[in-house]
Amino acid sequence: MALTPDSVKKLVAGGVEVAVEAGAGVKAGYLDSEYTAAGATIAQHAALITSADVLACVNRPEARDVAHLKAGAVVIGFLKPLDEPAALEPIVTRQLTAFAMELIPRTTRAQAMDALSSMATVAGYKAVLIAAEHLPRMFPLLMTAAGTVPPAKVLVLGAGVAGLQAIATARRLGAVVEAYDVRAAAGQDVKSLGAKFLEVDLGGIETQDAGGYAKELSPEALQRGRDMVTKRAGQSDVVITTAQVPGRKAPLMLTAEAVNSMRPGSVVIDLAAATGGNCELTKPGETVNHNGVSIFGPLNLPATVAGHASQLYSRNVTSFLSLIVDKGNLKIDMADDILKGACVTYQGGSVHPKVAAALGQSVASA
Ligand code: NAD
């Protein structure tokens, strides 16, 4: 859900009228009656679309819904502007304004709106639970009268938001954890969670951009990382991969050769499956059994923890709304660096270069 009852209450107190699609929150644990108590009205899908000044959603709305939005309406959600820019055509054609949550700049002021971090947190946590459920071994070290059970060994590739949450969750369950990231800066975070940071000599190249994200690496630097991962994978019960480079295919980190070195019963969770996967054998949205090693390629883990994923996302969306709503009225100041960064189309002009290129437009100035 893009808005939970708590957030609705805040928005209504700030002079905003909120309408919620009937029954939309039930699967996430939020009832229509809770929304009504918070001050929202409950509407059927079609009525909601045609009346909204702002449509706050989780994923990009369907073209048939965009066709019925009011002139000048604003759409906010995960719009996939970098992965599927051409799919934003209906929004551009209707001359609407759209903000993509995934483009919100990662600045201190925008931290409360950082929905990518919220979802990565949920995914990193859930990945470990899936691994623990399917591994035919326990995570903690146990000393029992029947003998000692050694702790599970977990290897985490990519130590950004999802990777760090996976490390923390695996450590809480008692696993021995090691992690690798191209950004040397991640080493300190990894160690502070009680995991070992695996270092690879990348010849001193710059691996991090000004926004704190990984840069795309040279084939040689990628290969060095893969060689190290291949050595460590055979010693691991679980490998969780989270490595991504924004707007590009996920880097290949876990080769078939590396998976071949893992023991039957081991588990791979590939959190980069939606952008091509970090494991050579991943099939997005499926679970592959390769010589007894289970390789999971989940596409949307936050949806499996919908209650808390919605709570976090809703707070991100509400913070963002505070930038464009003033005393109940829409007020968009495109000079604001957060709005400028997150905007993909403004009143029908493609503001984002990738969207403009996909639609054969030149970049409009807002
Ligand atoms: P992400 O999801 O784009 O990538 C996940 C991780 O994979 C990153 O740590 C990246 O360095 C790593 N990676 C990419 N290619 C790799 C490769 N070939 N080998 C090994 N690792 C590879 O990133 P993310 O988790 O969203 O965030 C990345 C950075 O942004 C972190 O430094 C994080 O602390 C920072 N961040 C800052 C803010 C803020 O300032 N508001 C908010 C969130 C995150």
Side-chain angles (χ1 to χ4, degrees), residues 45 49 55 57 59-69 75 79 87-88 90-91 94 96:
H45 186 85
I49 296 289
L55 181 67
C57 38
N59 293 311
R60 192 180 54 226
E62 302 284 340
R64 62 173 180 272
D65 286 333
V66 172
H68 294 108
L69 281 169
V75 179
L79 306 178
L88 292 172
I91 294 179
R94 286 286 329 278
L96 306 177

Side-chain angles (χ1 to χ4, degrees), residues 105-108 110-111 114 116-117 120 157-164 180-183 186 189 207-208 211-215 217 222 242-246 251 253:
R106 283 181 146 177
T107 55
T108 307
Q111 238 163 12
D114 186 353
L116 279 185
S117 287
L157 304 179
V161 182
L164 291 175
Y180 169 60
D181 197 294
V182 278
R183 293 178 303 107
D189 300 332
T207 55
Q208 179 165 319
Y213 284 110
K215 281 187 169 178
L217 297 185
L222 274 172
T242 74
Q244 313 219 41
V245 180
M253 301 191 68

Side-chain angles (χ1 to χ4, degrees), residues 155-160 162-163 180-182 214 217 222 225-226 229-230 233 239-246 248-259 262 268-284 295-299:
L155 172 62
V156 176
L157 304 179
Y180 169 60
D181 197 294
V182 278
L217 297 185
L222 274 172
R226 273 197 294 269
V229 168
T230 303
V239 181
I240 295 176
T241 75
T242 74
Q244 313 219 41
V245 180
R248 297 191 185 272
K249 191 177 178 305
L252 170 62
M253 301 191 68
L254 191 67
T255 58
E257 182 196 349
V259 177
M262 296 176 73
V268 175
I269 313 281
D270 191 341
L271 289 189
T275 51
N278 293 138
C279 173
E280 193 173 356
L281 302 172
T282 296
K283 289 204 174 130
I295 303 158
F296 289 77
L299 292 176

